[in-house]
Amino acid sequence: MLAIFESTLPIFLLVVLGIILKRLPIIDQKVWPGLEQIAYWFLYPALLFITIYNADFDGLRLDAMLVALVLSILIMATLLGLLWPVLKRTGLVAATEYSSVFQTAMRWNGFIALAIAQKMFPPAGSAVVALVMAVIIIPINVFSVFVVTKFADSSANWARIGRTMALNPLILAALFAILMRFAPFRIYDPINETLILVANAALGMGLITIGAGLRIADIASLRFPLWLPVFLKLAVFPIILISLAWSLGLDGTQLQYLALCAAVPTAMNGYLLAKQLGGDAELYAAVTTLQTALSFFSIPTVLALTAQLTSG
């Protein structure tokens, strides 16, 4: 447990550094949106592309991994759908809040997972995380857009939403990487090395910008709509995915790769969707902050328990 905690500590120290830098007067606040744009449109896609392109998937049971992953997403979406009538009847979650509860329970921060995978596991770990990102980006976005639109803005422009998803740089980078793996030629080595350098910069910069976007004051809230998706994302979803993977015969490091993907907190990109479509963006930001803070402890716990499970 201590070794896992120490392995994940540098990742969260970079997040904390982002929190500190955002609040110091030495950096112009206008800089941060620009950094986020660079990360979203260039650094993250380059990281995803080069990780998938250079990945060695030999010896990995990708079929079982992907089946467990897709089933776990479907089960989580179904669970959240079944919860809504109960939440509505009891008044625990308002209709305006539900879409943010749904999004923050479903989305996951693949870049935190990639950073931890590079620190803890062999290259295959990062490859699995990148592949997972490529597979689940589309279904999670489709679910999220549907729910936010249904509960927030029934007059949303679906053509515009469709174009936005189709032009998502992460989706395009992942698809291009998969296509390039089957190309009859290899990328010129100096270009490959350049993209690797960009990918290395992406992780550090990405973690700092994640920290800069967090709102620490929100952690003190005891609101049920804030804590419900924290419990679902950091506790329930890991149990679902790890149980499915285990039942499909996955064990050892392959099970730990999926456990890492399951354990990371939600991603901030759903905040913009909530803001654009009239969802509760403030709740989304608060849940993201709380999940990220608590995942500092929950990720090592999930990984340690999975290691115990795989060791018999």
Side-chain angles (χ1 to χ4, degrees), residues 40 44 100 102-113 133 136-137 140-141 144 170 210 213-214 233-234 261 264-274 281 283-289 291-292 295:
Y40 180 73
Y44 287 163
S100 287
F102 182 95
Q103 279 207 91
T104 51
M106 289 289 295
R107 291 184 180 274
W108 69 296
N109 200 314
F111 300 105
I112 288 180
M133 291 177 70
I136 70 173
I137 282 174
I140 285 182
N141 274 282
S144 296
L170 301 180
I210 287 170
L214 300 181
K233 182 68 191 73
L234 300 185
C261 294
V264 292
T266 195
M268 197 61 188
N269 52 2
Y271 173 83
L272 295 176
L273 183 67
L283 175 61
Y284 192 103
V287 174
T288 304
T289 300
Q291 282 192 15
T292 304
S295 67

Side-chain angles (χ1 to χ4, degrees), residues 297-312:
F297 305 99
S298 64
I299 290 175
T301 301
V302 170
L303 293 178
L305 291 175
T306 306
Q308 284 287 96
L309 180 65
T310 58
S311 65

Side-chain angles (χ1 to χ4, degrees), residues 98-267:
Y98 175 73
S99 62
S100 287
V101 170
F102 182 95
Q103 279 207 91
T104 51
M106 289 289 295
R107 291 184 180 274
W108 69 296
N109 200 314
F111 300 105
I112 288 180
L114 268 175
I116 295 174
Q118 285 197 1
K119 186 75 171 59
M120 290 188 60
F121 299 128
S126 298
V128 169
V129 172
L131 186 63
V132 167
M133 291 177 70
V135 170
I136 70 173
I137 282 174
I138 294 177
I140 285 182
N141 274 282
V142 169
F143 285 141
S144 296
V145 169
F146 175 79
V147 171
V148 175
T149 303
K150 178 177 175 59
F151 283 85
D153 183 5
S154 58
S155 62
N157 186 330
W158 282 95
R160 178 175 60 82
I161 292 169
R163 285 194 300 271
T164 300
M165 285 197 292
L167 296 175
N168 184 308
L170 301 180
I171 294 175
L172 294 177
L175 291 176
F176 187 50
I178 293 171
L179 289 175
M180 287 300 296
R181 286 181 64 92
F182 293 99
F185 57 88
R186 297 291 296 174
I187 292 177
Y188 184 43
D189 281 344
I191 295 178
N192 195 357
E193 290 296 325
T194 300
L195 290 175
I196 290 173
L197 290 175
V198 173
N200 292 336
L203 283 179
M205 181 61 69
L207 293 169
I208 289 173
T209 55
I210 287 170
L214 300 181
R215 301 172 5 167
I216 302 304
D218 293 322
I219 294 179
S221 175
L222 296 176
R223 294 169 56 206
F224 185 79
L226 178 63
W227 284 91
L228 175 61
V230 172
F231 172 71
L232 291 172
K233 182 68 191 73
L234 300 185
V236 175
F237 187 66
I239 291 173
I240 292 173
L241 180 50
I242 293 169
S243 298
L244 279 172
W246 178 259
S247 68
L248 290 171
L250 291 170
D251 56 14
T253 54
Q254 297 188 65
L255 187 61
Q256 291 183 55
Y257 300 158
L258 289 183
L260 172 60
C261 294
V264 292
T266 195

